[in-house]
Amino acid sequence: MTASRPRQPKSLIAGPFQPVINSFRLHLSAEGKSPKTIRTYVEAAQWFAAAHLLAHTGHTDWSDVTADDVRAWLVYLLDQYSDSYANNQYRALQQFFKWYADEEEVGNPMGRLKPPKVAEKIVPVFTEEELNLLSKTCKGKTFVDRRDQAIIELFKATGIRLGEMAGICYDPEHPERGDIDLERRELRVTGKGRKERMVKFGYNAARAVDRYLRLRGKHSYAHSPKLWLGINNRQPMTANGIYQMISRRGDEAGVVVHPHKFRHHFSHSWLDKGGNEGDLMELNGWTSPQMLRRYGASARNVRARRTYDRIMNGE
C-alpha cells in the first residue's frame, strides 16, 4: 500500500466544467446535504476537472468523459495518496456522475467501475491509562476545566461525531426544549443528512455536564442556544474549537487524541463487551454495515488475544 503523503493544495478551477458543478451543488443543497458533504462532493468534481480533464485531455464537456478518464485519475490518486483517501475521492466523484447521468439521461462513465480497495487497519482506541491521563488534565473547578471535562466525558460515553457534539442545543429557561436530558441521561443529536437520533450516556457524563451547567449560567452568552460556550465569556464553541481543545488536552496528557478516536473507542468497547451490533448501528447513526464490520473485526482481535493469554499463559 502506498504511504500517505502530505496533501498538496488542490487546483479547483474547473473552467467549462464549472457550470454543471454549480447545478450539482444546488441539487445537493436541495437534498438537504450537510455543508461538509456538499463541499466534499463539489471539490471532488472540481479537482478531477481541473487536474485531469483540463490538464491531460481535450475534453470540454462532461459528456466527453469516459471510464478510462476516471481510471487514469484513480491511478494518480493511488500513487500520490493513501488508498482510503483515493477511495473517498472515488465515492464523492461517483455521486456527481450518478446525478449527472440521471439529470442529462446519458451514460455513467463510473457505472461499471469499482472503488479502490482499502486495506484493513487496526482501529485506534484508548487504553484506560490514556483516558485517565486525559481526564486528569481538567480536574480543576474553573469554567474551562469543567467544560472540557464535560465534553470529554460525553465523547467517551456516546461516541458521537465532532459536528454532533458542537451542535448540541440547550435552553437554560426550559431545559426540556434542549437536546440533553440529565435525568434520563439521554441526548438528541443531529447527524449526517440532518437525521436526528437519541443516544444514552452514563452517570459520569451526566455529573460532568451538570457541574459545567452550574458555571455556564454565569457566562455572558448563557442565553445562547448552543451548549458549549467559549472561555473568557466568548461566543459558543465551533466544531473546530472543540477539535483544538481536544488536541490541546491530548498534548497536556501526552496522549495521541482527536475527537473521532472517541468514536472508535466507543464502538470498539461496545462490541468487545458483547453489545448488540444492531443497537450500535442505531446509536452511532449508521445506515451501512461497512463501519460495523471494521469495528467488529477490531473487537474480535482483542478477544482472541485475551483468549490466548488465558489458554497459553494461564492468565
Side-chain angles (χ1 to χ4, degrees), residues 256-267:
V256 176
V257 56
H258 52 81
H260 207 71
K261 191 173 180 179
F262 289 103
R263 191 165 176 82
H264 293 325
H265 188 84
F266 173 79
S267 303

Side-chain angles (χ1 to χ4, degrees), residues 22-49:
N22 292 341
S23 296
F24 179 52
R25 180 190 285 113
L26 180 62
H27 162 75
L28 294 173
S29 298
E31 289 287 306
K33 301 298 185 184
S34 71
K36 181 180 179 181
T37 297
I38 294 174
R39 183 173 64 254
T40 298
Y41 289 177
V42 166
E43 288 188 359
Q46 289 176 317
W47 193 23
F48 173 60

Side-chain angles (χ1 to χ4, degrees), residues 161 164 167 169 177-179 187-199 282-286:
R161 301 178 179 93
E164 294 169 347
C169 291
R177 298 178 183 174
D179 292 331
L187 175 65
R188 180 175 60 237
V189 296
T190 303
K192 293 183 177 181
R194 300 180 184 176
K195 295 179 181 178
E196 291 187 353
R197 69 183 189 281
M198 298 295 296
V199 301
E282 179 67 24
L283 291 171
N284 276 348
W286 291 335

Side-chain angles (χ1 to χ4, degrees), residues 3 41 69 74 103 109 117-118 131 133 139 147-148 157 193 233 251 254 258 263 309:
Y41 289 177
D69 288 316
L74 291 175
E103 185 76 8
K117 291 184 178 180
V118 179
L131 289 176
L133 288 172
K139 283 297 186 182
R147 183 202 65 188
D148 294 359
N233 287 312
D251 290 341
H258 52 81
R263 191 165 176 82
D309 284 334

Side-chain angles (χ1 to χ4, degrees), residues 47-215:
W47 193 23
F48 173 60
H52 178 73
L53 298 180
L54 292 179
H56 301 289
T57 77
H59 302 332
T60 58
D61 190 86
W62 285 108
S63 61
D64 300 330
V65 178
T66 67
D68 283 342
D69 288 316
V70 180
R71 291 190 185 99
W73 180 238
L74 291 175
V75 169
Y76 166 78
L77 291 176
L78 288 168
D79 180 63
Q80 297 294 320
Y81 303 90
S82 68
D83 51 5
S84 60
Y85 186 69
N87 183 279
N88 289 338
Q89 287 297 307
Y90 173 93
R91 295 186 183 281
L93 199 58
Q94 185 180 47
Q95 293 300 315
F96 169 77
F97 278 114
K98 179 181 179 182
W99 166 81
Y100 181 72
D102 291 341
E103 185 76 8
E104 299 297 328
E105 297 183 348
V106 295
N108 183 347
M110 297 185 70
R112 295 181 177 273
L113 300 184
K114 295 182 179 179
K117 291 184 178 180
V118 179
E120 291 291 336
K121 300 177 182 178
I122 296 176
V123 176
V125 297
F126 295 105
T127 65
E128 286 303 314
E129 181 183 5
E130 287 175 334
L131 289 176
N132 289 335
L133 288 172
L134 197 57
S135 293
K136 286 180 180 178
T137 66
C138 40
K139 283 297 186 182
K141 296 182 179 180
T142 65
F143 173 86
V144 66
D145 283 328
R146 289 194 173 180
R147 183 202 65 188
D148 294 359
Q149 181 71 11
I151 292 174
I152 289 172
E153 289 297 331
L154 210 52
F155 264 137
K156 286 165 52 179
T158 63
I160 61 176
R161 301 178 179 93
L162 173 62
E164 294 169 347
M165 179 68 77
I168 298 174
C169 291
Y170 175 71
D171 187 337
E173 299 297 327
H174 305 280
E176 70 280 0
R177 298 178 183 174
D179 292 331
I180 192 163
D181 186 331
L182 295 183
E183 292 296 324
R184 296 181 179 178
R185 292 178 290 108
E186 293 181 342
L187 175 65
R188 180 175 60 237
V189 296
T190 303
K192 293 183 177 181
R194 300 180 184 176
K195 295 179 181 178
E196 291 187 353
R197 69 183 189 281
M198 298 295 296
V199 301
K200 294 284 292 187
F201 53 89
Y203 288 105
N204 286 340
R207 282 194 290 261
V209 173
D210 180 62
R211 293 188 186 107
Y212 162 67
L213 291 179
R214 293 203 296 268
L215 292 184

